[in-house]
Amino acid sequence: MSTFARELVCRVCGATQPLGPTYVCEECFGPLEVRYDYEAISSQLRREEIAKGPLSLWRYRDLLPLVREDSQPVDIGTGMTPLIRADRLATRLGLRHLYIKNDAVNPSYSFKDRAVSVATTAAHDMGFDTLACASTGNLANSVAAHAARAGMRAVVFIPANLEANKIVASGVYGPTIVAVDGTYDDVNRLATLVAEEYGWAFVNVNLRPFYAEGAKTLAYEVAEALGWQAPDHIIAPMASGALLCKIAKGFRELAKVGLMESKRVRISGAQARGCSPIVTALEQGTDQIVPQTPNTIAKSLAIGTPADGPFAIHEIRSSNGHGVAVSDQEIVEGVKLLAETEGIFTETAGGVTVAALKRLAESGAIPPDEVVVVYITGNGLKTPDALDGHLNNLVTVGPSLLELERALGTRHYDAEPVTV
Ligand SMILES: *Cc1c(COP(=O)(O)O)cnc(C)c1O
Ligand SMILES: [Zn+2]
């Protein structure tokens, strides 16, 4: 066993710091990320080794930020989620090569398990006893689950207006849940203060450089499933923008360490119009993110001041991708479209992504021969309320064939004799 993570490096000025629970550059206050020894990885990592690894994201352990040689990953069974060919959805949209990466089936039912598995492993190795986060919902679920698995205490901070199902899906693991009267951005500001005061491992604050790396495995798994090839175009939802940036980074890294041919992947990002600071900046042709106060049913994406916004803008622009913002109505239609064509029930964030796909397909922005991968990141059973009043396929009858046939309109003959 070895680890190839070497240090933290500033994403703005390049200054370095040792690996540790820190996230801002001492020189310029820019965000930090993990730097690896890619040469050592290239010389040691082979496709066959990965293929022999566990059926979880930890098969890519050499490309993840472990801080100890003998690190034991905190793993609840995350990753290696299905990449399915979505032919029925493709046909509906006039596309030919469409795949869905269904990350809604992770253990806590969102892609956040990837980031949290990596961050919890780092936090555990650094000796923390309390795991914490500022969350729009899914992250709290995942942090609570991983803390339970690692035998750590969990304190999760959420906006008080969160969906009831998401609160239950944290509460069951036994964390302390702090519901803050405010938006996610208020929650996050409070969490930053608490992280400084209390010495807790906030996965998306002081452990953010580790946390964010987990999402790279969404690129690795797709490439491996496609026979070590990148798709032409990916579409991902954006809240802070970290997920999208790390998918892009993941494909680049695979080329860098020689696991696949270098390829330019088009990166497109989706937001709800009711919280679309990144897409708005793209539309206006600027790098300047103007904070927004969220007003959308896509609560898991409702971050008004996205930390990775400028980096996401750069990934989208430099790859010739698109930023798409969709209405709440389109989100609900997106959820239903994916369910009805492919049998996958996603939460509102997935509705955002499918709606963005639909817009891009219908506007001709996706050439029909492009191989497209759409990332579905959360499970529909977490946000069933979003469909209230939008499904009308319930037929209620008494236990009688007659009533059933009347209700279904399938009654072919009448019991009464026909009089001529
Ligand atoms: C958190 C989340 C995202 C986006 O995450 P960022 O990295 O903050 O952009 C996407 N989908 C779901 C379901 C999420 O919970
Ligand atoms: Zn810096």
Side-chain angles (χ1 to χ4, degrees), residues 10 12-15 25 27-30:
C10 175
V12 178
C13 79
C25 174
E27 304 289 326
C28 77
F29 302 106

Side-chain angles (χ1 to χ4, degrees), residues 57-69:
L57 82 164
W58 290 102
R59 68 206 273 107
Y60 310 106
R61 125 179 219 143
D62 289 348
L63 289 156
L64 294 173
L66 294 170
V67 296
R68 295 166 59 111
E69 300 285 331

Side-chain angles (χ1 to χ4, degrees), residues 86 89 94 101 195 251 267 304 360:
L89 179 57
K101 176 65 169 166
F251 288 121
I267 307 286
L360 291 174

Side-chain angles (χ1 to χ4, degrees), residues 107-109 137-145 156 163-175 177 381-382:
S108 84
Y109 303 103
N138 286 320
L139 182 56
N141 300 170
S142 186
V143 162
V156 299
E163 300 97 335
N165 282 31
K166 284 204 175 136
I167 298 176
V168 173
S170 289
V172 69
Y173 305 106
I177 304 177
L381 291 174
K382 295 197 189 202

Side-chain angles (χ1 to χ4, degrees), residues 110-112 136 138 237-244 300-301 303 347 349 377-378:
S110 83
F111 100 93
K112 290 292 196 302
T136 56
N138 286 320
M238 300 187 290
S240 73
L243 163 71
L244 176 134
S300 57
L301 301 181
I303 297 184
E347 67 151 88
T377 50

Side-chain angles (χ1 to χ4, degrees), residues 69-92:
E69 300 285 331
D70 60 351
S71 206
Q72 293 296 323
V74 179
D75 183 10
I76 60 174
T78 298
M80 291 307 272
T81 54
L83 179 71
I84 61 157
R85 246 197 104 97
D87 286 338
R88 285 174 47 80
L89 179 57
T91 304
R92 191 80 81 85

